[in-house]
């Protein structure tokens, strides 16, 4: 029976198996299972992002509304929308003409399939996460075996900047554009190594994807793409000089193809940029940029476990400690393996990336066109994450071949453990019941993110006012989001005889008693056209708000508006269509030469991840993701904290002071007690709402002198969520990080940190129980420095601790001004008082003014050796005054005065009038 069965199998089934193998064998032989594993690696982080709606991060709600807008406009048959009529409170906004719409098209297509918009947002984010992980693996496989490439993919997928993007920023376009970055470099390497016609697609397609999803990532990636496009063909063609022109041509043709594919966005964006506010330089760009540079200690820090009670747990902007360590080991491994070229390229890329994150690079930010407009240097982490992941993957080359599988397992586990503190959600999810255009208008009204932007940067330039008045009949936008209405204020204020009937979304019937302009509540922008009774009519902007205006003759007329586009928009679409046609042609006709195909296949197969380890890692990821979902997340507090709402885990010093019975300042964390002028001073405050908050509030934090008469640093950001404290409840607290830059002219004194809480609408401070409007935190903050140099022309010593280096007595009207320049030789250790006596010709005292040297601003007990301090006093002028006597005393005695080692009579210094030795 056994033989019969075996014969049947051999006779019947083996030919079938051979046929299948013949048909699909080439595909399976070239398939690297590492690609599948790389795609699944982010699963552990992806699952927690699926909740009731979308994560309430900084940008996620904005992008949900943009996806809804794209879905709505696609439903009308507009395949490439540029103008959203209901954005900017119903004035309309050219958001898709200037913000790359790629992810919104993708989300809009999912919306057309019937998926809820929040789910479409989350799915596109998950796709971006997986796409970037696979892209990093593909790029790493160009010079690393499968083990190292998989570790690189893991380091990219769980980089702190990736998790920051998911849980804190929520910029879906930036997620997707960053996912295309490794693919662009993969394409550059492919085109330089295999310069064929199809290699143009390897460069052009991911480049177009990056351009069409996010401009800032494109700009910062361009800092690395440009030199790579030159260097890679040179490196691959160095030994075969004859192939160098072809390699360079292929790379640059691929870049041109990518630009052509993105021309539908690039051409009109460039041609029409002059029509929006973003074309003008904002005055706060450089100061804001400076405030966002990373500090050296942040570059490679290990994220701390998340506190789930914290409404605003600040995720770090960093490469990550593990990534930094493995990256350094990887560079050493490449050098040890004599892969000098790869090591040098990665080291240079990482060095430049790190430089651009620090304030020392400010001149470059100022000189490179448009770069400073990005405002956030941390955007470079999205590109740097690729380079440090590649270097980290190379760290496995330090191990003998037989130990690399074990090393990979250990490294993957370490990467996961280091990332888990950032994987668990502490943010609320936000959802919309029956999402509509009205929800976007309400969001703008509450959060002031006009047109779903941060700075209203796409506002057209026409008009003297920005157009922030409430929308007209906003409830109508629920059923008719595309409605364009006549400005009703014209009917009420200027032309009460104007009669309007809304025919449909874009057409109205107007009746006027005499010829007059009719204004629509829609911003003017090139591309708008109108017809009057079916005939074209001129459209122009009115002066006040830049609204669309049409001159209408007497009588009854039908006006129809339409956004039909511009010449630049049409030309861009044609170039993109031509580029798409070229792509099809390249796919159909661009067959690979046999030698190139053999080289490519050999390169793909060498060092591929074996199937069994791949299956084991794949199963491990899936199992841990399931365990994490069903047990660790809901049943434990592993890898995270859940503090009591009145006692944050990371708070160092408790305060527990109420502000207006609205907020309680629970306490603070202060890691430093000194700072030099120009340096940063950071303090983290912990706030708790005493009841559910129904208004917006913002804190004001300052470094003030001890008398609270001057500030040397200030931080006045809006509170968590752009000032939106509405909905805060007592069951959670909010950490509030303030990073202040000490003013350059701050004196070398000591101060304290002052904290206020203001009503965001009225700027009225919330009062403390004692009636004051602020609390001054107890720790002294010293301003480092010696002070301005003083000419040591007098040389009077006081108890050998202080030296009166210079002095000046000058008359100013009815006052006599006295300046005393003190050099601190040793700390006095106690408070002293200066006596200032106006003397007559006989040396008799006429007037006096005794006061501490620097008043309450800087008591002498706090003075430090080496400081130069200039104290200013005054006396009322009297014609009898001939000189001024000065000295120092304590409650017990006068300080002994010497000059050149000799005692000075009466332990006082006599100063003549109208001399100033402190002036240069």
């Amino acid at each position: 029976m056994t033989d019969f069965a075996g014969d049947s199998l051999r006779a019947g089934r083996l030919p079938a198996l051979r046929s299948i193998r013949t048909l699909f064998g080439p595909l399976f032989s070239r398939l690297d299972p590492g690609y599948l594993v790389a795609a699944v690696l982010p699963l552990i982080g992806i699952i927690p992002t699926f909740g009731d709606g979308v994560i309430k991060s900084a940008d996620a709600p904005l992008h949900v509304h943009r996806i809804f807008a794209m879905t709505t406009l696609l439903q009308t048959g507009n395949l490439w929308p540029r103008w959203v009529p209901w954005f900017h409170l119903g004035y309309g906004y050219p958001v898709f003409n200037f913000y790359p719409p790629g992810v919104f098209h993708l989300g809009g297509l999912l919306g057309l399939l019937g998926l809820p918009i929040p789910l479409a947002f989350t799915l596109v984010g998950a796709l971006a996460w997986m796409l970037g992980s696979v892209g990093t693996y593909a790029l790493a496989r160009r010079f690393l075996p499968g083990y190292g490439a998989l570790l690189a993919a893991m380091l990219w997928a769980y980089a702190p900047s990736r998790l920051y993007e998911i849980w804190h920023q929520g910029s879906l376009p930036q997620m997707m554009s960053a996912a295309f970055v490794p693919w662009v470099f993969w394409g550059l390497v492919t085109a330089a190594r295999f310069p064929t016609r199809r290699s143009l697609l390897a460069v052009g397609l991911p480049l177009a994807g990056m351009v069409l999803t996010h401009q800032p990532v494109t700009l910062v990636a361009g800092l690395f793409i440009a030199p790579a496009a030159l260097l890679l063909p040179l490196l691959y063609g160095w030994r075969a000089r004859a192939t160098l022109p072809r390699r360079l041509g292929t790379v640059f043709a691929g870049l041109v193809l990518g630009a052509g594919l993105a021309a539908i966005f690039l051409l009109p964006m460039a041609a029409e940029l002059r029509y929006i506010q973003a074309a003008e330089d904002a005055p706060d760009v450089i100061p804001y940029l400076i405030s966002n540079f990373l500090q050296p200690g942040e570059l490679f820090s290990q994220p701390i476990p998340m506190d789930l009670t914290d409404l605003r747990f600040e995720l770090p902007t960093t490469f990550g400690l593990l990534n930094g360590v493995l990256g350094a080991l990887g560079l050493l491994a490449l050098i040890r393996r004599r892969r000098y070229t790869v090591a040098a390229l990665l080291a240079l890329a990482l060095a430049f990336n790190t430089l651009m994150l620090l304030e020392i690079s400010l001149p470059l930010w100022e000189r490179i066109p448009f770069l400073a407009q990005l405002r956030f240097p941390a955007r470079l982490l999205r590109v740097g994450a690729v380079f440090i992941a590649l270097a980290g993957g190379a760290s496995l080359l330090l191990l003998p071949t037989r130990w690399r599988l074990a090393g990979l397992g250990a490294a993957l586990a370490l990467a996961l453990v280091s990332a888990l503190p950032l994987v668990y959600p502490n943010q609320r999810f936000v959802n919309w019941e029956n999402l509509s255009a009205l929800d976007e208008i309400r969001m703008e009204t509450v959060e002031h993110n006009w047109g779903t932007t941060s700075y209203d940067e796409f506002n057209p330039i026409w008009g003297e006012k920005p157009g922030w008045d409430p929308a007209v009949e906003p409830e109508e936008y629920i059923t008719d989001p595309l409605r364009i209405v006549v400005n009703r204020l014209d009917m009420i204020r200027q032309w009460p005889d104007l009669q309007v009937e809304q025919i449909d979304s874009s057409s109205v019937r107007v009746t006027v008693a005499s010829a007059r302009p009719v204004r629509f509540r829609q911003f003017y922008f090139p591309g708008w056209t109108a017809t009057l009774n079916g005939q074209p009519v001129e459209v122009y902007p009115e002066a006040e708000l830049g609204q669309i205006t049409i001159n209408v003759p007497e009588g009854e007329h039908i006006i129809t508006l339409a956004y039909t586009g511009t010449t630049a928009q049409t030309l861009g679409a044609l170039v993109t269509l031509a580029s798409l046609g070229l792509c099809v042609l390249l796919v159909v006709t661009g067959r690979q030469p046999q030698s190139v195909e053999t080289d490519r296949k050999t390169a793909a197969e060498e060092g591929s991840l074996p199937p069994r380890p791949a299956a084991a890692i794949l199963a491990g990821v899936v199992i841990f993701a399931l365990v994490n979902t069903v047990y660790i997340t809901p049943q434990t507090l592993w890898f995270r904290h859940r503090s009591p709402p009145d006692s944050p885990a990371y708070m160092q010093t408790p305060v527990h002071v109420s502000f207006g019975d609205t907020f309680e300042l629970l306490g603070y964390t202060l890691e430093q007690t000194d700072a030099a002028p120009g340096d940063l001073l950071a303090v983290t405050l912990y706030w708790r709402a005493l009841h559910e908050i129904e208004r917006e509030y913002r804190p004001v934090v300052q470094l003030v002198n001890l008398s609270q008469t001057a500030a040397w640093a200030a931080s006045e950001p809006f509170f968590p969520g752009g000032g939106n404290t509405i909905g805060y409840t007592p069951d959670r607290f909010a950490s509030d990080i303030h990073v202040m830059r000490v003013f350059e002219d701050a004196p070398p004194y000591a101060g304290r940190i002052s904290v206020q809480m203001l009503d965001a609408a009225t700027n009225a401070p919330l009062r403390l129980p004692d009636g004051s409007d602020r609390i001054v935190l107890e720790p002294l903050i010293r301003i480092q420095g010696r002070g301005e140099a003083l000419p040591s022309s007098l040389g009077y010593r006081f108890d050998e601790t202080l030296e009166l280096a210079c002095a000046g007595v000058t008359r100013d009207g009815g006052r006599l001004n006295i300046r005393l320049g003190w050099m601190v030789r040793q700390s006095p250790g106690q408070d002293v008082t200066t006596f200032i006596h106006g003397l007559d010709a006989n040396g008799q005292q006429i007037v006096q003014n005794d006061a501490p040297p620097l008043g309450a601003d800087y008591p002498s007990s706090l003075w430090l050796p080496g400081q130069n301090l200039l104290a200013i006093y005054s006396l009322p002028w009297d014609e009898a005054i001939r000189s001024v006597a000065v000295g120092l005393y304590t409650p017990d005695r006068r300080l002994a005065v010497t000059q050149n080692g000799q005692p000075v009579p009466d332990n006082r210094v006599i100063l003549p009038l109208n001399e100033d030795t402190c002036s240069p």
Side-chain angles (χ1 to χ4, degrees):
M1 176 181 269
T2 302
D3 291 341
F4 177 77
D7 291 341
S8 299
L9 180 63
R10 285 188 291 272
R13 295 185 180 180
L14 282 180
L17 290 176
R18 288 194 186 98
S19 299
I20 294 173
R21 185 175 300 169
T22 301
L23 182 62
F24 295 105
L27 174 63
F28 290 135
S29 67
R30 293 178 56 184
L31 180 63
D32 182 348
Y35 287 96
L36 177 61
V37 180
V40 176
L41 282 179
L43 183 65
I44 299 168
I46 287 174
I47 291 178
T49 66
F50 286 85
D52 183 20
V54 299
I55 302 164
K56 195 179 187 308
S57 52
D59 294 346
L62 307 179
H63 299 310
V64 167
H65 288 298
R66 291 181 183 179
I67 292 175
F68 173 80
M70 182 63 73
T71 303
T72 302
L73 294 168
L74 288 174
Q75 287 171 341
T76 68
N78 187 350
L79 299 181
W80 195 271
R82 299 180 185 274
W83 186 273
V84 183
W86 67 90
F87 276 18
H88 211 291
L89 303 175
Y91 278 104
Y93 214 54
V95 60
F96 295 139
N97 200 52
F98 299 100
Y99 197 108
V103 294
F104 310 124
H105 264 93
L106 187 56
L109 292 174
L110 295 177
L112 290 179
L113 294 176
L115 272 68
I117 301 302
L119 178 59
F121 174 96
T122 306
L123 287 173
V124 173
L127 175 63
W129 209 337
M130 299 169 69
L131 180 68
S133 180
V134 175
T136 303
Y137 182 85
L139 175 59
R141 283 292 286 117
R142 289 302 187 197
F143 64 95
L144 290 177
Y147 294 133
L150 195 61
L151 177 56
M154 183 72 172
L155 294 176
W156 183 92
Y158 290 95
S161 60
R162 180 77 33 232
L163 299 168
Y164 176 93
E165 191 73 72
I166 298 296
W167 290 107
H168 184 80
Q169 188 165 357
S171 175
L172 188 64
Q174 188 162 264
M175 296 179 207
M176 184 63 76
S177 193
F180 279 114
V181 170
W183 285 107
V184 172
F185 285 100
W186 171 83
L188 293 174
V189 173
T190 299
R193 187 175 180 182
F194 307 110
T196 66
R197 281 183 290 173
R198 282 192 179 178
S199 294
L200 300 181
L201 299 173
V203 178
L205 292 176
L207 178 63
M210 184 173 65
V211 173
L212 290 173
T213 49
H214 201 240
Q215 292 152 309
V217 169
T218 300
L219 184 55
V220 297
L223 300 177
F224 302 87
I225 291 172
L230 287 171
L231 288 175
L232 290 173
L234 292 174
L235 293 173
Y236 280 111
W238 187 254
R239 295 182 179 179
R241 304 290 178 86
T243 66
L244 186 56
R246 185 177 181 184
R247 297 178 194 273
L248 282 168
T250 302
V251 167
F252 280 94
L255 295 175
V256 172
L257 176 62
L261 290 168
I264 193 171
F265 168 74
L266 286 177
L267 279 180
M269 185 270 294
E272 296 164 6
L273 183 64
R274 65 185 186 274
Y275 299 139
I276 59 173
Q277 300 295 336
E280 302 176 2
D281 292 331
D284 65 338
V285 167
I286 297 301
Y288 195 72
L289 172 69
I290 292 173
S291 70
N292 286 311
F293 279 110
L294 272 64
Q295 297 302 299
E298 296 179 276
L299 291 172
F300 300 100
S301 60
Q302 172 58 35
I304 58 177
M306 188 177 294
D307 193 327
L308 301 182
T309 314
D310 192 347
L311 285 164
R312 195 186 178 229
F313 186 84
E314 190 82 6
L315 298 182
T317 50
T318 177
F319 283 116
L321 179 61
L322 179 65
N323 292 40
V325 171
L326 292 181
L329 292 176
L331 293 177
L332 291 175
L334 290 170
I335 294 172
R336 182 182 176 188
R337 294 277 178 171
R338 298 184 179 181
R339 306 284 296 277
Y340 300 123
T341 301
V342 177
L345 290 176
L346 287 177
L348 285 173
L350 284 170
F352 180 69
N353 195 291
T354 302
L355 172 71
M356 295 297 290
L357 293 169
L358 301 173
E359 189 174 345
I360 192 175
S361 66
L362 180 60
L364 291 175
W365 285 86
E366 292 177 315
R367 287 175 173 81
I368 297 175
F370 306 112
L371 195 61
Q373 298 289 338
L374 303 187
R375 290 180 169 87
F376 295 97
R379 295 185 193 274
L380 275 99
L381 289 172
R382 278 65 176 179
V383 180
V386 176
F387 302 132
I388 202 165
L390 296 175
S395 64
L396 293 179
L397 296 178
L398 288 173
L399 299 175
T401 303
R402 65 181 181 278
W403 290 105
R404 287 181 186 169
L405 178 58
L408 173 62
L412 292 177
L414 281 174
L416 181 60
V417 170
S418 69
L420 281 175
L422 304 182
V423 167
Y424 297 98
N426 81 315
Q427 299 279 25
R428 295 175 294 181
F429 281 74
V430 59
N431 208 342
W432 298 262
E433 186 175 350
N434 299 320
L435 183 65
S436 71
L438 178 60
D439 292 298
E440 192 279 335
I441 292 173
R442 287 174 173 168
M443 178 191 70
E444 290 189 32
T445 303
V446 173
E447 301 191 13
H448 302 164
N449 40 23
W450 315 114
T452 69
T453 64
S454 299
Y455 310 101
D456 201 8
E457 56 265 36
F458 304 145
N459 198 348
I461 59 175
W462 295 274
E464 300 174 355
K465 298 181 180 179
W468 292 340
D469 54 298
V472 176
E473 299 176 345
E475 299 292 335
E476 295 295 324
Y477 286 98
I478 296 176
T479 56
D480 188 7
L482 304 179
R483 62 195 292 265
I484 301 174
V485 300
V486 171
N487 189 325
R488 301 301 175 90
L489 292 179
D490 286 352
M491 302 166 60
I492 298 172
R493 293 185 307 185
Q494 294 181 308
W495 300 299
D497 63 322
L498 175 63
Q499 299 178 26
V500 178
E501 176 190 352
Q502 193 82 31
I503 299 176
D504 56 32
S505 299
S506 58
S507 299
V508 295
R509 178 180 285 107
V510 299
T511 303
V512 293
S514 60
R516 61 175 53 92
V518 174
R519 295 182 292 196
F520 290 80
R521 189 184 173 89
Q522 199 76 184
F523 286 139
Y524 171 82
F525 195 80
W528 277 107
T529 59
T531 61
L532 183 70
N533 301 324
Q535 298 300 315
V537 65
E538 180 187 2
V539 174
Y540 64 93
E542 54 87 32
E544 184 180 10
L545 294 173
Q547 299 172 98
I548 291 176
T549 306
I550 297 171
N551 292 327
V552 178
E554 176 186 352
E556 179 182 301
H557 309 280
I558 294 178
I559 303 174
T560 301
L561 295 178
Y563 190 81
T564 56
T566 64
T567 301
Q569 294 168 13
T570 302
L571 181 60
L574 292 175
V575 173
T576 293
L577 287 174
S579 300
L580 287 171
L582 178 60
C583 290
V584 173
L585 185 64
L586 290 173
V587 170
V588 173
T589 64
R591 296 184 178 277
Q592 307 284 10
Q594 186 61 41
S595 58
V596 171
E597 184 67 25
T598 301
D599 290 344
R600 195 190 297 267
K601 181 178 178 180
T602 302
E605 292 178 350
E606 287 180 353
S608 296
L609 194 65
R612 288 186 178 180
I617 296 171
L618 188 65
V621 170
V622 173
I623 291 172
F624 186 86
L626 293 175
V627 172
N628 187 53
T629 301
V630 301
Y631 178 71
I632 297 178
T633 300
Q635 303 294 332
T636 77
L637 288 176
W638 298 351
F639 312 109
R640 58 211 192 275
H641 298 294
R642 179 174 283 120
S643 299
D646 61 349
S647 182
Y650 295 115
M651 183 178 74
Q652 291 181 346
T653 306
V655 172
H656 296 291
V657 173
S658 63
F659 284 69
D661 294 326
T662 303
F663 286 99
E664 178 186 5
L665 179 60
L666 300 174
Y668 61 91
T669 295
L670 183 65
E671 301 288 353
Q672 61 189 111
T673 55
D674 57 7
D679 284 355
L680 297 178
L681 175 67
V683 61
T684 302
L685 307 176
Y686 295 88
W687 301 92
R688 180 190 180 195
L690 296 177
H691 53 78
E692 185 170 352
I693 304 299
E694 298 179 352
R695 292 179 62 82
E696 300 174 14
Y697 297 90
R698 64 185 182 92
V700 174
V701 179
Q702 297 174 309
L703 175 63
V704 299
N705 61 4
L706 298 181
S707 61
Q708 301 181 39
T709 58
W712 300 324
S715 172
E716 301 185 30
F718 277 98
F719 207 50
N724 187 9
T725 55
I726 296 172
Y728 275 34
T729 54
D731 60 337
R732 298 182 73 178
F733 65 85
S735 61
D736 179 27
I737 299 177
H738 291 264
V739 180
M740 302 173 283
R741 186 172 296 275
V742 179
F743 300 156
E744 294 288 352
D745 60 352
Y749 295 177
R752 286 192 168 95
I753 293 175
S754 161
V755 180
Q756 294 178 288
M757 180 65 80
L758 306 185
D759 185 302
T762 65
N763 283 331
L766 299 179
R767 297 286 174 175
L768 277 63
D770 62 2
S772 61
D773 68 349
R774 72 191 65 204
I775 183 174
V776 178
L777 305 184
E778 188 62 29
L780 281 175
I781 308 296
R782 287 194 173 274
I783 307 298
Q784 299 173 353
R786 297 173 57 89
E788 295 184 7
L790 297 173
S792 183
S793 58
L794 298 182
Y796 289 102
R797 298 288 182 94
F798 289 73
D799 272 9
E800 298 300 323
T801 59
L802 302 175
E803 177 182 338
L804 182 60
C806 65
V809 181
T810 57
R811 182 181 173 183
D812 182 12
R815 306 295 298 178
L816 198 62
N817 295 328
I818 299 96
R819 299 201 306 164
L820 303 179
W822 299 101
M823 290 183 177
V824 184
R825 301 299 179 182
Q826 300 177 35
S827 178
Q830 60 182 335
D831 290 333
V832 298
T833 303
T834 308
F835 64 80
I836 308 291
H837 296 165
L839 307 179
D840 62 12
N842 297 320
Q844 298 299 311
Q845 178 179 320
I846 300 175
V847 293
Q848 77 175 78
N849 179 16
D850 292 8
L854 292 171
D857 290 346
Y858 192 27
S860 56
S861 58
L862 300 177
W863 293 6
L864 298 176
Q867 289 186 320
N868 301 319
L869 305 171
L870 186 64
I872 299 175
Y873 311 83
S874 67
L875 290 173
W877 171 247
D878 190 300
E879 293 293 342
I881 296 177
R882 294 294 180 268
S883 60
V884 174
V886 300
L888 299 174
Y889 64 90
T890 68
D892 301 325
R893 63 182 181 87
R894 281 190 184 183
L895 272 61
V897 182
T898 62
Q899 186 180 39
N900 299 324
Q902 300 300 314
V904 174
D906 297 328
N907 290 320
R908 64 179 185 172
V909 177
I910 306 300
L911 302 174
L913 301 184
N914 301 318
E915 289 189 12
D916 189 351
T917 60
C918 291
S919 297

